Amino acid sequence: MKVATLRSDAQTMQETARAPAQAMIEIDHVSQRFETSGRQSHLALSDISLSVEEGAFVSILGPSGCGKSTLLYIVGGFVKPTEGVAKVKGHAITGPGPDRGPVFQEFALFPWKTVLGNVMYGLLQQGVKKSEADARGRKLLEMVGLKGYEKFYPKELSGGMKQRVAIARTLAYDPAVLLMDEPFGALDAHTRTRLQNDLLDIWDRQRKTVLFVTHSVEEAVYLSDKVVVMSRSPGRIKEVIDIDLPRPRKRADLLQNARFQKHIVDIEKMIDDRPEDM
Ligand SMILES: Nc1ncnc2c1ncn2[C@@H]1O[C@H](COP(=O)(O)OP(=O)(O)OP(=O)(O)O)[C@@H](O)[C@H]1O
């Protein structure tokens, strides 16, 4: 079991000037066992403890099936852990809430609603007035680079554009925490890079706490303050790595940066090392 305190240097300086930092997410000795019909029960997560400070960008890496999505679903309040407790801002998570915004592929856009309609949906559900939801929706679509696409329908958009709508839809209700499960996994390399940069821009401006699941070591290192490496089933935290690269980050600069490359090599080794652990 490893308890990690997640904090970036830039944040440390900001927080010293402001209020003391607090943990936004605390995962305390969480285990998850799934009862399945066709086979014996399956221990997906074993004794996970992790503390993520407010405003940190944290990525989770690990082999397929190690429980990354399950961990995100627990923080999202969609799965109740069989053991342990997950908290947001000190309160035990008992279900989904507007303080946590999921960007999961399973939560597809409504095909019958326009792009703007999709982004406004959650706001209208929360009782926000239509005129205000409309204005906020348009502003967010501009922020994610979709100005002019308000009246399009999801089927008329590329994969990258759909992901932008999904991000805008989640940002619309201003959650403190973004939970992102491989949001760029299905995109081509060029679109993926553009969305990574846009996400970093948004994060720079809004400093939300981000928990980001990915299979790409490079993506995790590029985006994150901390990278959590999980081991193979049952999922445990194998290592938490500080990514000590300056911000704002520019991918083109980082590709020349020896520390960036070293982080990637070290983490890849960590994942490849001792396969019996993974
Ligand atoms: N609702 C469920 N019922 C039964 N088993 C489940 C359920 N959800 C997940 N599992 C099992 O838990 C384990 C972890 O699944 P999870 O999707 O969290 O892994 P992951 O690391 O996100 O995988 P991938 O990288 O392939 O997306 C898997 O063995 C999966 O089959």
Side-chain angles (χ1 to χ4, degrees):
M1 185 271 299
K2 285 193 175 135
V3 178
T5 298
L6 306 179
R7 163 191 291 277
S8 74
D9 291 346
Q11 232 191 304
T12 306
M13 288 188 298
Q14 282 177 3
E15 285 162 356
T16 311
R18 295 191 218 139
Q22 62 166 313
M24 176 61 83
I25 300 165
E26 285 168 88
I27 298 166
D28 189 11
H29 297 287
V30 159
S31 296
Q32 181 63 43
R33 185 176 285 283
F34 288 114
E35 301 299 335
T36 52
S37 44
R39 56 189 166 116
Q40 287 185 326
S41 72
H42 174 71
L43 186 60
L45 293 173
S46 174
D47 199 18
I48 301 273
S49 289
L50 184 70
S51 172
V52 179
E53 288 198 352
E54 192 172 351
F57 197 123
V58 177
S59 288
I60 303 171
L61 279 171
S64 183
C66 73
K68 303 179 292 297
S69 301
T70 302
L71 195 57
L72 238 56
Y73 271 78
I74 286 172
V75 177
F78 303 104
V79 171
K80 187 178 179 306
T82 34
E83 278 174 48
V85 64
K87 294 180 186 170
V88 63
K89 281 195 170 169
H91 299 289
I93 293 167
T94 54
D99 50 356
R100 285 149 290 141
V103 183
F104 297 165
Q105 307 223 335
E106 289 80 354
F107 296 2
L109 301 175
F110 297 126
W112 62 89
K113 284 189 182 290
T114 62
V115 162
L116 182 59
N118 267 283
V119 177
M120 286 170 64
Y121 177 79
L123 292 171
L124 295 175
Q125 289 291 306
Q126 284 182 354
V128 174
K129 273 201 297 193
K130 200 170 173 209
S131 56
E132 192 190 330
D134 184 282
R136 270 161 70 180
R138 286 174 192 277
K139 209 170 147 195
L140 279 157
L141 285 170
E142 189 173 351
M143 188 195 275
V144 298
L146 284 180
K147 189 174 163 58
Y149 289 91
E150 293 82 357
K151 290 186 177 160
F152 280 57
Y153 284 87
K155 67 170 190 240
E156 299 171 300
L157 304 179
S158 69
M161 290 159 103
K162 282 186 205 152
Q163 259 325 0
R164 286 172 193 271
V165 179
I167 292 169
R169 178 179 63 177
T170 301
L171 290 173
Y173 54 90
D174 198 24
V177 179
L178 280 181
L179 302 171
M180 307 186 87
D181 193 358
E182 292 193 65
F184 310 143
L187 306 178
D188 65 87
H190 177 67
T191 311
R192 186 171 187 149
T193 304
R194 277 182 48 195
L195 260 84
Q196 288 168 349
N197 292 337
D198 290 348
L199 177 61
L200 277 187
D201 280 349
I202 292 167
W203 180 78
D204 266 339
R205 271 181 273 166
Q206 303 197 343
R207 280 302 152 119
K208 294 189 181 300
T209 308
V210 183
L211 262 188
F212 188 98
V213 167
T214 178
H215 278 281
S216 162
V217 176
E218 186 185 301
E219 178 171 76
V221 174
Y222 176 43
L223 297 175
S224 310
D225 297 313
K226 303 269 179 183
V227 173
V228 177
V229 178
M230 290 180 64
S231 60
R232 196 181 292 282
S233 176
R236 295 193 175 91
I237 293 180
K238 189 173 191 191
E239 205 79 54
V240 179
I241 302 103
D242 272 298
I243 306 299
D244 51 351
L245 297 166
R247 292 188 188 270
R249 295 179 187 165
K250 285 273 163 282
R251 202 163 174 278
D253 298 342
L254 283 185
L255 290 174
Q256 318 284 333
N257 183 309
R259 262 191 298 156
F260 178 67
Q261 299 298 348
K262 185 169 183 326
H263 277 309
I264 292 174
V265 172
D266 287 351
I267 292 172
E268 272 171 356
K269 262 198 211 142
M270 219 170 271
I271 291 175
D272 287 337
D273 258 354
R274 300 169 56 206
E276 71 278 10
D277 272 3
M278 300 296 297

